[in-house]
Amino acid sequence: MSGGYFCMEPLSFCLLLSAWSWGWAPGGAAKPKGQGYPHMNSIRIDGDITLGGLFPVHGRGVEGKACGELKKEKGIHRLEAMLFALDRINNDPDLLPNITLGARILDTCSRDTHALEQSLTFVQALIEKDSTEVRCVNGGPPIITKPERVVGVIGASGSSVSIMVANILRLFKIPQISYASTAPDLSDNSRYDFFSRVVPSDTYQAQAMVDIVKALKWNYVSTLASEGSYGESGVEAFIQKSREDGAVCVAQSVKIPREPKPGEFDKIIRRLLETSHARAVIIFANEDDIRRVLEAAKRANQTGHFIWMGSDSWGSKISPVLHLEEVAEGSVTILPKRVSVKGFDRYFSSRTLDNNRRNIWFAEFWEENFHCKLSRHALKKGSSIKKCTNRERIGQDSSYEQEGKVQFVIDAVYAMGHALHNMHKNLCPGKVGLCPRMDPVDGVELLKYIRNVNFSGIAGTPVTFNENGDAPGRYDIYQYQIRNSTPEYKVIGQWTDHLHLKVESMLWPGGGSQLPSSICSLPCKPGERKKLVKGIPCCWHCERCDGYQYQLDEFHCKRCHFNERPNENHTSCTPIPIIKLEWSSPWAVVPVFIAIVGIIATLFVVVTFVRYNDTPIVKASGRELSYVLLTGIFLCYATTFLMIAEPDLSTCSLRRIFLGLGMSISYAALLTKTNRIYRIFEQGKKSVSAPRFISPASQLVITFSLISLQLVGVCIWFIVDPSHSVIDYEDQRTTNPHFARGILKCDISDLSLICLLGYSMLLMVTCTVYAIKTRGVPETFNEAKPIGFTMYTTCIVWLAFIPIFFGTSQSAEKMYIQTTTLTISVSLSASVSLGMLYMPKVYIILFHPEQNVPKRKRSLKAVVTAATMSNKFSQKGGFRPNGEAKSELCENLETQ
């Protein structure tokens, strides 16, 4: 028995005093000469300096067993890579010349607790042992063999294993270089100060995976992690990076128990399906758990639903996807950037049972690889398994593909070798072999040299470490594709600080190139804002920017400026169209037609009156006031053109002046006439003397005095509020902004319009009152009746105007209706006056000239007396021909 205390007697066993018999008791032995030999569950190779090695040669055991099935690639390939590297270094005259590297390689069985027990072998030589109470049976002194001193450890593979081992090795100041552990926790230099690694931390890997998710336009993913440091810290790093980036949300994080119960993986699939929109699943798990997850997905008939994104533990391995190709199709995996080491391929393909006896697990690999048995007794009757012939060859009689971490195992061994070489150059200058300063090797000093190495690795990439012992992040990105029924891992991109991804080269489940979605919410349509779901920034509800709002950004809507409206999809604002009453509009054609006819009729009356200016009919109508009244009528018709013309400074100024002026002139003249008649007949009831101010000059003065009040009011208005045109965006600001219009109009509000026409209305009402008062005068004697009818009709017109004008204030056609109503009302008022007061006279002048003759002149006293008496006998009828008394009365009044 070797590695502990033993006596010279063959049957004597040592009595151990303490619990330090845990792992090293079966580990050490006197070093026999030779290349190397198996030692229990470890490989031991002699050398001047011994390196430790930790490899998952076997998988995790079940049912209480420490170890399970053999891992051909992850275990044997990596182990042989260390042996290959040791051979190269020992045969390199320039690296550690005259110093041979030995090794003590252990099997971790993919379990951290088992690895801890095994790794205690590395610290045997550093433990002080008390042998005073050790006795042999025969009473002789015990022979104590001193185990070899391990100066550094290569490994381990899994992060949880490395963490467990690192906690022990740091106590004894033994540097450790891992070839596969990527957990971010191991970057903590305060806890794992003697740990280094030639693979990048999962912090880089997590960032690379976040960048891949973004490049594939995914923002809602689930995570799946094996319980332990690697899985949990990897997912934690991914979640942290996704939060920092803000573009990726995690739907749920599922953990795979260290010792999963039956049905556990089916339960995991059901849980992942709870967030079915999160089709992408980020996996940080060991390959055994990955395989069982894929099997559960297949049982749940979810082939093609999930898009798996595996970490470097999946990488480009065949074992997790073997016979599960359809479930794994489209999976994206990541692996530290590597190349296949051709020298290792030649080395490994040449290994046989005869030339590789130093690897105690190689015989087991041989049987597993070639499906044969070395012992005839192991063959069962009826079994198809044949006996091994030792003539089988790797790569010829079996498939072979170099495992992905081989390069890193070699780089890790070389990093240790270069550190020792540099240390020897500095501490033992010019010395051949080890000098006293390196016997034993100081672990603290060695760590400094390890952190400062900088050399070109086996693949040509530089090998360096940062202050935390991490290697720089360089990754290859793979996708598991099936082309022509042949599955393969295809490189689709790289990540070195930045992502370079060939999305066009990717194939998805079913062989399609259409990018699958893994999003919580569909993108909002143009003109819609995102209303985030509380606590989940990648999930939102889309809300339409309605009314006069437009989409300011993806989260906010903003109201357009008062003179703008949103475009059709509410993504920006456009100017509101400006409208005005066009000459070609039906709303303008009718008023213009009436105005033209009215102007022509007015001019015809004026021309007729001028032509027959000295005839009795013209004289009797009061020529001066008639011309004033006709001027007012003309202005009323002309106002229509001002109201329809395009509003500008001049047009608006003229509207203010002439809109009320024409009516003021008309009603001032009519009021003067009715007032004169009223005063004459009222005076006639009292005396035969004529009232004051009834001469034509007086009447003109009264008329222009009344008109001047209108002009004074307009002038005050101009001073207080100068005229200008405006664009009114409120009148036609409809609920639907598509129908919104800006109205180009003059700055005359409804209240201003009432004030502008109010004076004319006052004149009209007053004139109507006088017309009512003189209604008892016989029509054969004066103009009171025609004026009365004119005013009654005019009042009816304006009474109809008021509800139409103000009742349509909320109508979309307000501008058209009000303008048309106003212009037609003004024109109708003028037409009533023109038709009732002047058309009969024109008719007599033109068609009955025999009635337009002078009558016998009488004194004013006689005329008034006759008129008064006529009023008394009005029920008996008139005693003069129609118009005779009226003409005579008017003629006499005109001469006063």
Side-chain angles (χ1 to χ4, degrees), residues 681-739:
F681 282 96
E682 285 298 313
Q683 182 70 19
K685 293 178 182 179
K686 300 174 183 178
S687 68
V688 294
S689 61
R692 300 176 59 190
F693 308 118
I694 61 173
S695 66
S698 301
Q699 297 303 299
L700 288 176
V701 170
I702 294 172
T703 300
F704 285 116
S705 297
L706 294 174
I707 295 171
S708 65
L709 293 177
Q710 173 78 20
L711 294 175
V712 169
V714 171
C715 290
I716 295 173
W717 188 10
F718 272 116
I719 295 171
V720 173
D721 182 18
S723 180
H724 61 276
S725 62
V726 296
I727 300 175
D728 189 349
Y729 292 99
E730 295 301 324
D731 268 359
Q732 291 201 24
R733 185 172 288 274
T734 56
T735 304
N736 186 348
H738 178 71
F739 298 106

Side-chain angles (χ1 to χ4, degrees), residues 380-399:
K380 296 180 180 180
K381 290 184 178 180
S383 174
S384 60
I385 299 177
K386 63 182 184 300
K387 186 178 184 301
C388 300
T389 64
N390 200 23
R391 290 191 295 270
E392 297 88 357
R393 290 295 175 266
I394 297 172
Q396 296 178 12
D397 300 305
S398 67
S399 60

Side-chain angles (χ1 to χ4, degrees), residues 5 38 55 164 198 283 363 477 521 548 573 606 616 636 673 852 890:
Y5 307 107
F55 296 92
M164 192 75 80
V198 291
I283 301 182
I477 302 165
S521 303
Y548 286 83
C573 293
V606 170
C636 287
K673 274 193 173 187
N852 190 13
C890 292

